[in-house]
Short mmCIF file of all heavy atoms in Angstrom, two decimals:
data_model
loop_
_atom_site.label_atom_id
_atom_site.label_comp_id
_atom_site.label_asym_id
_atom_site.label_seq_id
_atom_site.Cartn_x
_atom_site.Cartn_y
_atom_site.Cartn_z
N VAL A 62 98.48 121.01 112.13
CA VAL A 62 99.59 120.08 112.34
C VAL A 62 100.29 120.41 113.65
O VAL A 62 100.62 119.53 114.45
CB VAL A 62 100.58 120.14 111.16
CG1 VAL A 62 101.86 119.35 111.49
CG2 VAL A 62 99.94 119.57 109.90
N ARG A 81 97.50 128.55 122.25
CA ARG A 81 96.86 127.22 122.25
C ARG A 81 95.45 127.28 121.66
O ARG A 81 95.08 126.45 120.82
CB ARG A 81 96.81 126.70 123.69
CG ARG A 81 96.09 125.36 123.85
CD ARG A 81 96.14 124.88 125.29
NE ARG A 81 95.43 125.75 126.21
CZ ARG A 81 96.02 126.50 127.14
NH1 ARG A 81 97.33 126.50 127.28
NH2 ARG A 81 95.30 127.25 127.95
N ARG A 222 100.73 108.66 79.82
CA ARG A 222 101.32 107.48 80.46
C ARG A 222 100.92 107.40 81.93
O ARG A 222 100.68 106.32 82.46
CB ARG A 222 102.84 107.52 80.31
CG ARG A 222 103.30 107.33 78.87
CD ARG A 222 104.77 107.60 78.69
NE ARG A 222 105.59 106.57 79.34
CZ ARG A 222 106.92 106.63 79.38
NH1 ARG A 222 107.56 107.66 78.86
NH2 ARG A 222 107.59 105.66 79.98
N ALA A 230 91.43 104.32 94.72
CA ALA A 230 91.87 104.43 96.11
C ALA A 230 90.67 104.76 96.99
O ALA A 230 89.65 105.28 96.53
CB ALA A 230 92.94 105.51 96.24
N PHE A 232 88.71 106.94 99.24
CA PHE A 232 88.64 108.39 99.44
C PHE A 232 87.86 108.77 100.69
O PHE A 232 87.68 109.92 100.95
CB PHE A 232 87.97 109.05 98.23
CG PHE A 232 88.91 109.29 97.08
CD1 PHE A 232 89.34 108.23 96.30
CD2 PHE A 232 89.36 110.55 96.78
CE1 PHE A 232 90.20 108.45 95.23
CE2 PHE A 232 90.21 110.78 95.72
CZ PHE A 232 90.64 109.72 94.94
N ALA A 257 107.62 126.67 93.03
CA ALA A 257 108.83 127.16 93.70
C ALA A 257 109.80 127.82 92.74
O ALA A 257 110.65 128.60 93.17
CB ALA A 257 109.52 126.01 94.44
N MET A 265 104.14 136.53 94.33
CA MET A 265 102.93 136.42 95.15
C MET A 265 103.22 135.89 96.55
O MET A 265 102.32 135.79 97.39
CB MET A 265 101.91 135.50 94.47
CG MET A 265 101.31 136.03 93.21
SD MET A 265 100.00 134.93 92.57
CE MET A 265 100.96 133.50 92.05
N PHE A 307 114.47 117.70 93.25
CA PHE A 307 114.27 119.07 93.72
C PHE A 307 113.34 119.07 94.94
O PHE A 307 113.66 119.66 95.99
CB PHE A 307 113.67 119.91 92.61
CG PHE A 307 113.37 121.34 93.00
CD1 PHE A 307 114.28 122.33 92.72
CD2 PHE A 307 112.18 121.67 93.62
CE1 PHE A 307 114.00 123.66 93.07
CE2 PHE A 307 111.90 122.98 93.99
CZ PHE A 307 112.81 123.98 93.71
N THR A 312 112.61 119.66 100.64
CA THR A 312 111.88 119.20 101.82
C THR A 312 112.84 118.82 102.93
O THR A 312 112.61 119.14 104.12
CB THR A 312 110.98 118.00 101.46
OG1 THR A 312 110.03 118.40 100.47
CG2 THR A 312 110.23 117.48 102.68
N ASP A 335 124.55 121.77 90.11
CA ASP A 335 124.71 122.53 91.34
C ASP A 335 123.66 123.61 91.54
O ASP A 335 123.25 123.89 92.66
CB ASP A 335 126.11 123.18 91.37
CG ASP A 335 127.22 122.15 91.45
OD1 ASP A 335 126.94 121.03 91.89
OD2 ASP A 335 128.35 122.48 91.05
N LYS A 348 113.38 134.89 81.07
CA LYS A 348 114.54 135.23 81.87
C LYS A 348 114.77 134.20 82.98
O LYS A 348 113.83 133.62 83.51
CB LYS A 348 114.38 136.62 82.48
CG LYS A 348 114.48 137.75 81.46
CD LYS A 348 114.40 139.11 82.14
CE LYS A 348 114.53 140.24 81.12
NZ LYS A 348 114.43 141.57 81.75
N THR A 353 120.64 134.00 95.59
CA THR A 353 121.93 134.24 96.22
C THR A 353 122.04 133.51 97.55
O THR A 353 123.13 133.37 98.10
CB THR A 353 122.14 135.75 96.46
OG1 THR A 353 121.05 136.25 97.27
CG2 THR A 353 122.16 136.50 95.14
N LEU A 370 116.97 137.15 94.49
CA LEU A 370 117.15 136.67 93.11
C LEU A 370 118.04 137.62 92.31
O LEU A 370 117.88 138.85 92.37
CB LEU A 370 115.79 136.55 92.41
CG LEU A 370 114.88 135.41 92.88
CD1 LEU A 370 113.53 135.51 92.19
CD2 LEU A 370 115.51 134.05 92.63
#
Side-chain angles (χ1 to χ4, degrees):
V62 170
R81 177 177 64 249
R222 292 170 69 184
F232 278 74
M265 292 185 291
F307 178 96
T312 299
D335 295 338
K348 290 183 179 179
T353 57
L370 289 174

